[in-house]
Amino acid sequence: MSESVFADRLTRLIALSPDEHALLTGVEERERRVRRNGVLFSENDRVAELFVLRRGMMMSYVLLDDGSRQIQRFLFPGDLIATTSLVYAKAPDTVMAVHDSSLGAIDRQALADVVLRCPRIGLGLLALEQVERVAMSDRLAAVGRTSAKARVAALLLELRNRLRATAPAGIDSFAPGITQEEMGDATGLTAVHVNRMIRQLEEERLIGREGGRFTIRDEASLVRIANYIDRYAGLDMGWLTVRG
Amino acid sequence: MSESVFADRLTRLIALSPDEHALLTGVEERERRVRRNGVLFSENDRVAELFVLRRGMMMSYVLLDDGSRQIQRFLFPGDLIATTSLVYAKAPDTVMAVHDSSLGAIDRQALADVVLRCPRIGLGLLALEQVERVAMSDRLAAVGRTSAKARVAALLLELRNRLRATAPAGIDSFAPGITQEEMGDATGLTAVHVNRMIRQLEEERLIGREGGRFTIRDEASLVRIANYIDRYAGLDMGWLTVRG
DNA sequence: CGAGCCGTTGAAAGATGTCAAACGGCGTGG
DNA sequence: CCACGCCGTTTGACATCTTTCAACGGCTCG
């Protein structure tokens, strides 16, 4: 793995030339570390840079004025954070570390310069954005139209798939390390009800648990009740041929 | 207004040079018309182009396998449709006309070529994408964490704001022309309950109605109970200076 | 004139939230 | 090393919100 998680991720979508790769690696500058429960930035903060998550796990959320929280997404290594700073002066969400994390900070002007010099990187960013958007659509459909059990099942599947990317191979269990309260805030449920759904999934032998560690026991059934689709698989940018 | 709604919209975010504007206008080719309730494309269709909505109103939705529907967004003139075709071979959603509509179809390869030649357009697309994403986050928070009444109020405010952009000035009422069933599918509620919430808002004199036409009577209260933020206002791309 | 879609309303059922309490683990300070 | 306190999980009883089911009326379109 090179120094730039970001360049690596982009390369997986669009083959970058060595020059492009170098340019992109060069722009990812300041390292930033955030400890568990530490806040990278808060809603309405003025943020003029983007971040790439290198190690750890974070989450993006908004607080409503009755105090409730909606977690919009969990963030994993390679994910881009605060891309909205390209357009909004103030952050629309808060980003907090779920586990100790380290990030690379990219000045938005510097990134814009790279894109201007190397437009294929702009296409790559656009591509990453699409994946995020579709994933968010799925979450909207889950929260709007599926049962509590289905939402919890979908969250577990998503967490497993994203964590598996960085986990040591051969282990089929995963430990997201988040509280049931956080699972609730991600799925639009209360912590109490999340707990009931988890235990129900456990009793039906769809999942297993020990400590904070989960095992998918019956993936087919789980996928079925969750309406789950893995959007990080099945990408296709092969059509993109570079013309003179 | 020039021939290209799309170029116009982009220009509002990033000042395009005459050349860039011309290039962008040139690429928007085939006209496509869809009548009310007509389908532009369905989930899993192979879509290799993007569309710009020129006139009318459309919606994007997904169907779950229990038959329920989640409307992800309503689409208005200037909105970009099927940008996911940049990354996914198959459409993740269905797009249907709410009213008679006309669109411009843009081949994805043609658009990519434009971006490669004129990277600032790539940045503009990225910017548009951010706005959509933030709007979708708001919907997720609304559906996940707010009451039925709040969701209906938020939907009405959003519809008014988006419709106002094309409506004749001076009229403060609006006629979205959608059924209560559709409002329910957009907010994660049943048509029956949407009806109850609308009548409640009406009784509390927050909105007025006659026929299918709504009036916002007490915008401040409505915004408050809806947690509403207009994301199409307050954009800032002034930081983007073009360097050599 | 009839059929069907949409809006409206009531009654009842079901899902999820709220409140309260107990339990366990884990880190901290004594 | 132990005791304490805090945080997260678990469970039960109950409240509330939203859905479901059913029926009716108005309106439009054939």
Side-chain angles (χ1 to χ4, degrees):
Chain A
M1 182 164 73
S2 82
E3 304 161 33
S4 171
V5 183
F6 178 38
D8 287 346
R9 173 129 184 223
L10 218 48
T11 297
R12 233 167 291 141
L13 275 179
I14 298 185
L16 295 177
S17 73
D19 283 356
E20 288 168 330
H21 197 286
L23 192 58
L24 203 48
T25 305
V27 85
E28 188 176 327
E29 289 167 23
R30 281 144 289 136
E31 163 124 3
R32 175 106 180 241
R33 285 166 188 275
V34 188
R35 310 198 73 89
R36 175 173 180 75
N37 292 328
V39 169
L40 179 60
F41 57 80
S42 297
E43 209 172 324
N44 289 323
D45 280 358
R46 306 192 81 85
V47 177
E49 50 194 356
L50 294 78
F51 302 90
V52 185
L53 186 54
R54 288 183 177 155
R55 282 182 315 104
M57 176 173 162
M58 306 187 79
M59 61 181 177
S60 147
Y61 65 81
V62 294
L63 292 175
L64 282 70
D65 40 47
D66 67 345
S68 62
R69 173 176 67 170
Q70 175 69 47
I71 295 176
Q72 296 172 338
R73 46 195 291 238
F74 290 105
L75 298 155
F76 298 87
D79 282 351
L80 227 42
I81 299 174
T83 52
T84 49
S85 69
L86 289 171
V87 186
Y88 292 101
K90 296 182 175 183
D93 56 0
T94 301
V95 173
M96 175 182 279
V98 175
H99 304 318
D100 294 355
S101 299
S102 83
L103 308 100
I106 306 176
D107 183 82
R108 65 183 179 188
Q109 179 72 59
L111 184 66
D113 288 344
V114 168
V115 170
L116 290 175
R117 192 144 6 133
C118 178
R120 297 184 70 240
I121 291 176
L123 287 175
L125 291 173
L126 219 36
L128 287 179
E129 206 63 36
Q130 301 311 319
V131 179
E132 284 310 322
R133 175 130 72 105
V134 174
M136 176 142 349
S137 298
D138 289 340
R139 286 192 280 274
L140 180 63
V143 172
R145 283 292 183 226
T146 73
S147 70
K149 205 206 293 194
R151 292 184 230 172
V152 171
L155 177 62
L156 289 174
L157 284 167
E158 169 113 1
L159 288 171
R160 200 247 342 219
N161 288 347
R162 305 277 340 248
L163 284 168
R164 189 157 56 176
T166 51
I171 300 180
D172 69 337
S173 69
F174 61 104
I178 61 178
T179 65
Q180 294 179 359
E181 175 112 37
E182 286 159 345
M183 297 179 70
D185 286 342
T187 52
L189 300 167
T190 58
V192 173
H193 206 59
V194 167
N195 182 276
R196 289 197 246 262
M197 295 304 104
I198 288 177
R199 325 214 85 244
Q200 204 173 318
L201 291 172
E202 196 180 6
E203 286 212 356
E204 294 164 357
R205 313 229 169 273
L206 300 181
I207 63 172
R209 283 194 310 156
E210 55 174 315
R213 186 163 284 276
F214 292 86
T215 316
I216 305 290
R217 283 234 169 113
D218 182 348
E219 179 155 2
S221 302
L222 215 50
V223 166
R224 182 158 24 79
I225 71 165
N227 274 106
Y228 184 74
I229 304 171
D230 186 350
R231 300 296 188 177
Y232 294 85
L235 299 178
D236 163 38
M237 291 203 68
W239 60 272
L240 184 64
T241 62
V242 181
R243 294 179 191 166
Chain B
M1 184 163 71
S2 81
E3 302 161 33
S4 170
V5 184
F6 178 37
D8 287 345
R9 173 130 186 220
L10 217 48
T11 297
R12 233 168 292 142
L13 275 179
I14 298 187
L16 295 178
S17 72
D19 283 358
E20 289 168 330
H21 196 286
L23 191 59
L24 201 49
T25 306
V27 86
E28 187 176 329
E29 288 167 23
R30 280 143 292 134
E31 163 125 2
R32 175 102 181 246
R33 285 166 187 276
V34 187
R35 308 199 73 90
R36 175 173 179 75
N37 292 329
V39 169
L40 179 61
F41 57 80
S42 296
E43 210 172 323
N44 288 324
D45 280 359
R46 306 192 80 85
V47 178
E49 50 195 355
L50 295 77
F51 302 90
V52 185
L53 186 54
R54 288 186 178 153
R55 281 182 318 101
M57 176 172 160
M58 305 188 80
M59 61 182 177
S60 148
Y61 64 81
V62 294
L63 292 175
L64 281 69
D65 41 47
D66 67 346
S68 62
R69 173 176 67 168
Q70 175 68 49
I71 295 177
Q72 295 171 337
R73 45 194 292 237
F74 290 106
L75 298 156
F76 298 87
D79 281 351
L80 226 41
I81 299 174
T83 53
T84 49
S85 69
L86 290 170
V87 186
Y88 292 101
K90 296 183 175 181
D93 56 0
T94 300
V95 174
M96 174 182 280
V98 174
H99 305 316
D100 293 356
S101 300
S102 82
L103 308 100
I106 305 176
D107 184 82
R108 64 184 181 189
Q109 179 72 59
L111 184 66
D113 288 344
V114 169
V115 170
L116 290 175
R117 192 146 3 134
C118 179
R120 298 184 69 240
I121 291 176
L123 286 175
L125 291 172
L126 218 36
L128 287 178
E129 205 62 38
Q130 301 312 318
V131 179
E132 283 311 322
R133 175 130 72 103
V134 174
M136 174 137 0
S137 298
D138 289 340
R139 287 192 279 273
L140 180 63
V143 173
R145 283 294 184 224
T146 73
S147 69
K149 205 206 293 192
R151 292 184 230 172
V152 172
L155 177 61
L156 289 174
L157 284 167
E158 170 114 1
L159 288 171
R160 195 226 13 195
N161 288 347
R162 306 276 343 246
L163 285 168
R164 190 157 56 176
T166 50
I171 300 180
D172 69 336
S173 70
F174 61 103
I178 60 178
T179 66
Q180 294 178 358
E181 176 113 34
E182 285 159 344
M183 297 180 69
D185 286 343
T187 52
L189 300 167
T190 58
V192 173
H193 207 57
V194 166
N195 181 275
R196 290 196 241 264
M197 295 303 103
I198 287 177
R199 323 213 86 244
Q200 204 172 318
L201 291 172
E202 195 180 7
E203 286 211 355
E204 295 165 357
R205 313 229 170 271
L206 299 181
I207 64 171
R209 284 194 309 156
E210 54 174 317
R213 185 162 284 276
F214 292 86
T215 317
I216 305 289
R217 284 235 169 114
D218 183 348
E219 178 155 3
S221 302
L222 215 51
V223 166
R224 183 157 24 79
I225 72 165
N227 274 106
Y228 184 73
I229 304 172
D230 186 349
R231 299 297 189 177
Y232 294 85
L235 298 179
D236 163 38
M237 290 203 69
W239 61 271
L240 184 65
T241 62
V242 181
R243 294 180 192 167

